[in-house]
Amino acid sequence: MARLTDATRGRLLFGGDYNPEQWPEEVWHEDVRLMREAGVTLATVGVFSWATLEPHPGVRNFGWLDTVLGLLHDAGIGVCLATPTASPPPWLGARYPETLPRDETGATVWYGSRNQFCASSPVYREHAARITEDLARRYAGHPALRMWHVNNEYGTVCYCDTSARHFRTWLRARYRTLDALNDAWGTAFWSQRYDSWEEIIPPRRAQYLHNPAQRLDFRRFTSDALLECFTAERDILAAHTPGIPVTTNFMPLFAGQDGWRWAAEEDVVSVDIYPDPAADPSDLAGPAHGALVADLTRSQARGPWLLMEQAASAVNFRRVNRPKPAGQMRQWSYQFLARGADGLCFFQWRASRQGSEKFHSAMLPHAGERSRTFQHVRALGHELHTLSPRLAGTTVPADVAVLHDWHAWWASEQPGRPSSDESTAYPRLLATWHRALWEQNLTCDFAHPEASYHGYRMVVVPQLYLMTDAALDRLTAYVRGGGTLVCGFFTAVADGDDRVRPGGVDRRLRELLGLATVHEWWPLQPGETVPLDNGATGSAWSEDLELAPHGGPSAPAAEILARYGGGELAGRPALTRARRGKGTAYYVSTLPDPASLRALLGEAARAAGAGPVLPQAPLGVEAVRRGEALFLINHTRQQVTVPLHHPHTDLLTGRAVTASVTLGRHGVAVLTPTPKENRTCAEGVSAP
Ligand code: GAL
Ligand code: ZN
């Protein structure tokens, strides 16, 4: 199996999607010259080039790609070569309409855009395999080839008849018998019992609410069907080039793929992200989201990974698309570098003059090499070269794990729950809890609930509505063995089939938390809050809890950390803490206001022996350790001064930093502790 280091060769990668098929050959020479000037080391070529490579069924047009790869290689630029299978040519859909996806109503999703393929279509798969095979055969051994990029942002969902048949095959493998399926789906409800496999269909448009277990399985199936497309191409590539790593780029915190399963099939994990530069700069939600995406991708990779796509400035898919103010592209890039990326890449190298993304920014925008954007890109490329020897391949230590599971997410998105208000949405809860850790620079990884998270000092569960027996056993063993758990509401309510656990909440979790019963889930109205008697305010949710009585030395009664201070549940427990075995389990039955959630997690972490990277860093200054480097990133609108307790060296300038470092708006510093023998007396310094 190839590895990321086979692609990076010990250097940080810098570059972007390169679509030379949109340009005449003269331009390619200018591209390569300017790429060199910008310090580009990796160009992702061919992502949407199927119709150029195969203009007519079976015809191969590789000449242009030979030239492009040759030019890049001569310039010392590595190539991440893409299989073009995300966007089949019109001829495929026109000749083989069964390759086109159908929506829930059965309507065809046509060509003329991109991503119009049915993952279950054998015809699509066959054509994708052939072009992949020919690409691999032709470019195996090409000296420019560093990495393979399969498809692009997989995620197309299809409800067609072919997908229905494939879904049945998937279900047979999962359940073996129709009785088992009927049991798992609870088809006794509403007379939904299936009498034969052939009757089973994707959750197509229906009269009223769908069977939730059917919907859950269809999401699992869709992720797996797409994954089969990925692994089929990967295997073809790996057979020709065993030493060249294979990736496919994820969308950030994307619901359509089981990101744990997918990452396990990749040699290199990579992700794309497009935050809105116009987001309210006094709100830290934007940078918090960036940190979450970086932490999640690092956790999926279990080590370094790549930022495959970001915008050099504006995007084109929002209603109003603002450019990034000076410094913001650099700042957001450093966030990904700090949190473990071994490469920073963009969509795309040169702005397109035609097509629906012609107003999307690029490393080389329409305004050309004199543009502000190109200057910023070039400056970043040069900084990466400076930092590369110290950072490439290094990792980010974390003491805290946040449990995350796509299946729990899918199950929690079903209609017909106690609350379908946006305030209770899974990704929102995940982001809110992660943000409370991030804002105090408590570095965390994400972990699958059935994975081994046992080296972490604290495990946080914002919400896992669905939990398998294996996950519950692991969590119980973790706490009893000395771990600290902080658990959010509406967790372990359903089993792996989305069947409600006896008692409403799984018995193992109740015992761990010291709860006898959750009498009622008591969701709050949109915008409604409830006071707690410790000064905190809850929103989104509350619960009518009954604590278990003292159950002997192995199960002492839980302590009440706060009670509801108003509303229907006034006086009843809201936040609790139980000692179990050598460990501790907190329960949080509402969503505390941000400062209170921060305080709760901060105190629990401290008690568990986990601390912030830099306790003196003010709110809005991100501090992360990666390898021997300390990154400081200013997300506030003002200049900030961060005191330092030891002398450091600024890795970008080589200058000594002693008492403090001052960061301007969007400012970033990358420091390393100065060894004792090299310390001189210097003043605080400013970093741009
Ligand atoms: C990504 C996609 C790119 C480009 C980009 C624009 O999602 O992979 O091909 O469309 O968005 O922001
Ligand atoms: Zn289909």
Side-chain angles (χ1 to χ4, degrees):
M1 191 188 182
R3 298 151 60 94
L4 176 58
T5 46
D6 294 314
T8 64
R9 305 193 181 155
R11 307 281 299 172
L12 297 172
L13 296 170
F14 184 64
D17 278 29
Y18 179 37
N19 299 305
E21 67 273 28
Q22 296 173 16
W23 297 91
E25 195 169 333
E26 317 79 87
V27 176
W28 305 348
H29 293 270
E30 187 187 68
D31 285 331
V32 167
R33 174 177 67 80
L34 291 175
M35 283 184 191
R36 281 182 62 109
E37 202 180 308
V40 166
T41 55
L42 189 77
T44 301
V45 183
V47 178
F48 296 107
S49 65
W50 195 343
T52 306
L53 290 170
E54 188 174 6
H56 187 75
V59 168
R60 294 290 179 262
N61 173 25
F62 284 133
W64 66 277
L65 192 52
D66 295 349
T67 308
V68 167
L69 262 55
L71 283 173
L72 290 167
H73 178 64
D74 292 345
I77 298 165
V79 170
C80 175
L81 189 54
T83 68
T85 54
S87 196
W91 60 252
L92 188 76
R95 286 173 189 240
Y96 307 100
E98 72 270 32
T99 63
L100 296 171
R102 301 279 183 118
D103 71 10
E104 290 107 310
T105 68
T108 300
V109 179
W110 289 97
Y111 45 85
S113 177
R114 65 173 177 189
N115 299 91
Q116 74 289 358
F117 64 87
C118 166
S120 297
S121 160
V123 179
Y124 164 75
R125 288 186 180 199
E126 179 57 34
H127 281 84
R130 276 193 224 144
I131 189 75
T132 299
E133 172 84 39
D134 288 356
L135 264 182
R137 184 169 300 147
R138 188 166 187 101
Y139 298 106
H142 194 290
L145 181 64
R146 291 289 174 78
M147 202 183 339
W148 290 109
H149 179 294
V150 171
N151 203 283
N152 192 70
E153 296 186 341
Y154 276 105
T156 305
V157 184
C158 182
Y159 297 82
C160 77
D161 289 342
T162 308
S163 294
R165 280 192 295 277
H166 190 199
F167 185 35
R168 287 174 208 133
T169 310
W170 184 94
L171 290 166
R172 274 179 193 264
R174 184 178 174 88
Y175 295 111
R176 309 272 166 213
T177 68
L178 205 52
D179 284 348
L181 178 138
N182 277 311
D183 178 57
W185 285 13
T187 55
F189 181 79
W190 282 353
S191 179
Q192 290 173 350
R193 188 188 157 275
Y194 290 96
D195 187 40
S196 82
W197 290 98
E198 286 61 46
E199 294 157 9
I200 298 171
I201 50 172
R204 292 183 180 150
R205 187 164 151 192
Q207 184 62 23
Y208 186 43
L209 304 182
H210 284 104
N211 179 312
Q214 175 196 14
R215 278 186 33 141
L216 174 60
D217 272 349
F218 188 66
R219 296 190 83 163
R220 290 169 165 153
F221 156 77
T222 297
S223 173
D224 285 358
L226 290 164
L227 183 58
E228 285 172 10
C229 294
F230 169 75
T231 55
E233 292 189 29
R234 179 206 61 193
D235 291 348
I236 293 168
L237 300 169
H240 287 277
T241 57
I244 302 291
V246 182
T247 189
T248 180
N249 49 335
F250 291 135
M251 285 179 259
L253 191 63
F254 174 57
Q257 290 157 301
D258 178 347
W260 296 121
R261 273 191 93 151
W262 277 72
E265 300 289 347
E266 291 181 272
D267 300 322
V268 174
V269 176
S270 63
V271 73
D272 305 342
I273 190 168
Y274 293 95
D276 188 356
D280 175 4
S282 64
D283 180 359
L284 294 171
H289 177 68
L292 182 156
V293 169
D295 289 345
L296 178 57
T297 313
R298 182 185 67 247
S299 307
Q300 289 174 271
R302 308 218 227 141
W305 47 279
L306 299 178
L307 174 61
M308 189 58 87
E309 289 182 20
Q310 62 168 333
S313 189
V315 299
N316 71 319
F317 51 77
R318 298 197 171 92
R319 199 203 303 239
V320 176
N321 297 293
R322 285 274 284 260
K324 295 182 177 173
Q328 193 171 68
M329 182 276 282
R330 176 178 183 261
Q331 171 193 29
W332 288 352
S333 297
Y334 271 83
Q335 183 181 48
F336 275 67
L337 195 60
R339 306 191 92 85
D342 252 9
L344 299 177
C345 299
F346 294 81
F347 174 86
Q348 61 178 328
W349 161 252
R350 182 188 279 273
S352 303
R353 288 183 58 200
Q354 293 176 286
S356 44
E357 292 183 326
K358 58 185 177 296
F359 295 117
H360 193 289
S361 67
M363 299 167 83
L364 185 62
H366 295 300
E369 61 187 291
R370 291 189 53 249
S371 64
R372 177 177 68 76
T373 298
F374 184 71
Q375 302 309 318
H376 292 162
V377 164
R378 184 171 60 180
L380 179 64
H382 289 246
E383 288 185 358
L384 279 195
H385 282 270
T386 306
L387 295 173
S388 191
R390 305 298 281 269
L391 292 178
T394 59
T395 53
V396 177
D399 285 335
V400 178
V402 177
L403 301 192
H404 163 56
D405 179 16
W406 271 268
H407 299 243
W409 181 359
W410 296 333
S412 79
E413 280 192 337
Q414 310 278 8
R417 297 181 299 144
S419 172
S420 298
D421 185 54
E422 175 56 25
S423 63
T424 64
Y426 180 93
R428 177 135 163 189
L429 294 173
L430 197 68
T432 304
W433 283 66
H434 176 273
R435 177 174 171 176
L437 295 166
W438 173 79
E439 282 179 337
Q440 50 195 321
N441 293 312
L442 273 165
T443 313
C444 66
D445 290 337
F446 286 89
H448 186 276
E450 290 175 16
S452 168
Y453 34 80
H454 124 159
Y456 294 100
R457 293 183 182 275
M458 180 164 99
V459 160
V460 169
V461 177
Q463 180 181 85
L464 288 171
Y465 157 77
L466 174 155
M467 272 187 98
T468 61
D469 290 340
L472 280 156
D473 291 341
R474 223 176 238 291
L475 196 61
T476 310
Y478 168 78
V479 173
R480 295 206 178 271
T484 293
L485 164 69
V486 186
C487 182
F489 56 79
F490 209 47
T491 289
V493 168
D495 68 10
D497 296 329
D498 196 14
R499 184 188 286 106
V500 175
R501 295 277 186 182
V505 173
D506 183 77
R507 178 188 45 80
R508 283 159 290 194
L509 188 72
R510 277 184 280 130
E511 282 173 10
L512 207 56
L513 298 170
L515 301 178
T517 295
V518 179
H519 286 278
E520 300 272 12
W521 296 295
W522 213 290
L524 301 180
Q525 296 294 341
E528 185 187 356
T529 57
V530 58
L532 307 191
D533 68 1
N534 67 347
T537 305
S539 67
W541 194 270
S542 59
E543 288 181 358
D544 183 358
L545 303 179
E546 181 184 324
L547 302 195
H550 182 73
S554 68
E559 290 164 69
I560 298 172
L561 302 180
R563 293 174 184 274
Y564 288 106
E568 294 288 344
L569 302 180
R572 311 216 43 85
L575 309 179
T576 62
R577 176 173 56 202
R579 309 282 177 196
R580 286 294 177 270
K582 297 192 199 120
T584 307
Y586 295 75
Y587 190 52
V588 185
S589 70
T590 181
L591 183 62
D593 61 277
S596 303
L597 185 59
R598 231 172 17 233
L600 177 76
L601 290 171
E603 279 154 32
R606 205 165 310 124
V613 169
L614 204 67
Q616 70 270 31
L619 185 66
V621 174
E622 180 170 356
V624 196
R625 266 181 224 292
R626 175 175 182 187
E628 57 180 27
L630 169 66
F631 282 76
L632 298 174
I633 306 170
N634 180 13
H635 297 288
T636 73
R637 277 191 291 182
Q638 305 83 32
Q639 170 171 307
V640 293
T641 296
V642 185
L644 294 168
H645 300 325
H646 312 284
H648 284 74
T649 305
D650 184 321
L651 284 177
L652 282 167
T653 61
R655 278 188 293 170
V657 186
T658 49
S660 65
V661 56
T662 298
L663 305 167
R665 184 164 178 219
H666 303 304
V668 166
V670 191
L671 310 175
T672 181
T674 312
K676 281 228 168 59
E677 59 278 15
N678 300 348
R679 287 182 187 176
T680 54
C681 251
E683 291 306 306
V685 289
S686 299

